[in-house]
Amino acid sequence: PLEPLAAGEDGAFVRWPVLLDGEPFDAVFCPLVNEAGGAHLGTLVLLVSARPLLDTRADARRWNLFSTSVGMLVSTLLALLLATGLARPIQHVADAATAMRKGDLSRRTGIRRQDAIGDMAAAFDGMAESLQRHVEEIHRLAVTDDLTGLSNHRRFKEELEREIMRAERSGSPLCLIFLDLDHFKRVNDTHGHDQGDEVLRVVARLMRDHVRTVDLPCRYGGEEFVVILPETPLDAAVVVAERLRREVEDRPMGKGIDLRVTVSAGVSVYPVDGTTSDDLLKTADNRLYLAKERGRNCVVTDDGDDA
């Protein structure tokens, strides 16, 4: 039996859902009672089609489903737009961090926005800029002689190896000048180490001023200096060495005193005098000491002749 849908007050009527020929109806049963004697006279049955109500309910459910689907779609689209707007700049920051970790300290995010993401990117770029300057300064100090400001022995060895490989590929000549201050110990013993340091600084300035920008003057150690001259034949290297020798000879060196010094130099050339850094350095060093034996303040370019 079907459960009644509703009942009237004091049992005045009862509704049941029924199907007639497949169509839904609400059957309303109303008992007829004689008010005077209370005798039951019969029952009035009223059939009301339930189709409009069911259609209305179905439409309401479809509209509710449509509204829910549209709401979910809009929410999803907003989430995607938000995620895209955040993911892209965050990916730029992550890419920049990865590049820096691999050694590219010049990498930046490239983000220019006036919001929290822009502030984060600006902070990251500022940190990267500071880190790059710090690392570059550390590297500069690692390859620079503190006293003279010239490249130090470490950088000299690195650059000479690099220039030899480049000369080998290009077939161009490469020269090396090895210089040493004559009687430098006398300067320290007679005038003190402060004056000796000043002499080294002045010689370094003269070297920087009288070589090309592509050449590399270095302090090899103590009072010894070297100059790497890429793509330079022997005759041109001799001109440079002689110019440096004359500049040192003619320049007063001391602080408050007329202090004069001279230099001796030996020159070697790739590949005639060697194809390795050790060979070139050894040949130039031997010729430097030959210059010392020949009276100092001169340049030697081979094992038998003075330049």
Side-chain angles (χ1 to χ4, degrees):
L2 296 175
E3 294 293 333
L5 294 175
E9 295 180 0
D10 300 326
F13 68 87
V14 178
R15 290 172 51 221
W16 266 280
V18 297
L19 291 175
L20 296 178
D21 296 330
E23 287 293 319
F25 286 88
D26 284 343
V28 181
F29 298 87
C30 299
L32 300 178
V33 180
N34 187 340
E35 294 182 358
H40 182 265
L41 301 178
T43 301
L44 176 65
V45 179
L46 179 64
L47 294 178
V48 180
S49 175
R51 175 58 61 188
L53 178 61
L54 294 178
D55 290 344
T56 300
R57 289 176 179 174
D59 290 342
R61 284 195 298 270
R62 285 193 294 269
W63 175 252
N64 184 58
L65 179 62
F66 174 75
S67 299
T68 302
S69 300
V70 170
M72 292 177 63
L73 178 61
V74 171
S75 299
T76 301
L77 289 175
L78 289 175
L80 287 174
L81 289 173
L82 182 61
T84 301
L86 292 176
R88 188 169 299 158
I90 290 175
Q91 186 61 51
H92 287 326
V93 175
D95 291 344
T98 299
M100 291 182 66
R101 188 175 67 250
K102 292 180 179 179
D104 183 8
L105 298 182
S106 63
R107 184 68 175 271
R108 302 292 181 267
T109 65
I111 298 173
R112 300 292 183 270
R113 293 168 50 148
Q114 302 299 319
D115 57 9
I117 295 295
D119 293 341
M120 178 189 68
F124 180 92
D125 289 344
M127 176 201 68
E129 181 72 22
S130 178
L131 178 62
Q132 182 181 11
R133 289 197 303 267
H134 183 64
V135 170
E136 288 175 349
E137 179 63 13
I138 291 176
H139 181 265
R140 186 191 68 80
L141 293 174
V143 297
T144 302
D145 177 63
D146 290 339
L147 178 63
T148 64
L150 296 180
S151 296
N152 61 14
H153 183 272
R154 174 182 176 182
R155 188 183 178 198
F156 162 70
K157 296 290 286 185
E158 293 174 351
E159 291 298 324
L160 183 58
E161 293 285 355
R162 186 176 295 112
E163 290 298 337
I164 286 175
M165 289 189 291
R166 192 159 71 94
E168 183 179 6
R169 289 194 303 268
S170 64
S172 59
L174 166 69
C175 282
L176 182 66
I177 303 175
F178 205 155
L179 303 99
D180 182 83
L181 293 177
D182 298 326
H183 301 300
F184 184 69
K185 186 176 183 300
R186 294 180 186 175
V187 175
N188 286 327
D189 293 344
T190 304
H191 303 286
H193 288 280
D194 287 344
Q195 290 290 356
D197 289 347
E198 179 63 15
V199 169
L200 294 175
R201 283 191 286 263
V202 174
V203 171
R205 286 197 295 270
L206 291 174
M207 293 179 67
R208 279 194 298 265
D209 293 342
H210 292 88
V211 298
R212 302 170 303 177
T213 56
V214 296
D215 300 330
L216 183 66
C218 308
R219 185 184 181 191
Y220 189 78
E223 66 272 22
E224 295 178 322
F225 297 86
V226 288
V227 184
I228 301 174
L229 298 99
E231 300 182 358
T232 304
L234 181 59
D235 56 349
V238 171
V239 172
V240 175
E242 279 292 345
R243 182 166 63 242
L244 292 174
R245 185 194 63 77
R246 290 193 304 269
E247 288 292 334
V248 172
E249 182 182 28
D250 295 339
R251 182 65 59 91
M253 296 286 176
K255 285 184 176 180
I257 61 174
D258 186 13
L259 178 59
R260 307 277 178 157
V261 298
T262 60
V263 295
S264 300
V267 182
S268 61
V269 59
Y270 172 92
V272 176
D273 294 321
T275 57
T276 68
S277 60
D278 289 340
D279 289 342
L280 288 177
L281 187 59
K282 182 178 179 180
T283 300
D285 189 29
N286 289 339
R287 290 171 181 172
L288 166 61
Y289 278 95
L290 183 58
K292 297 283 190 180
E293 293 175 358
R294 294 186 177 182
R296 296 179 171 83
N297 193 23
C298 63
V299 176
V300 173
T301 61
D302 58 49
D303 297 330
D305 297 322
D306 294 346

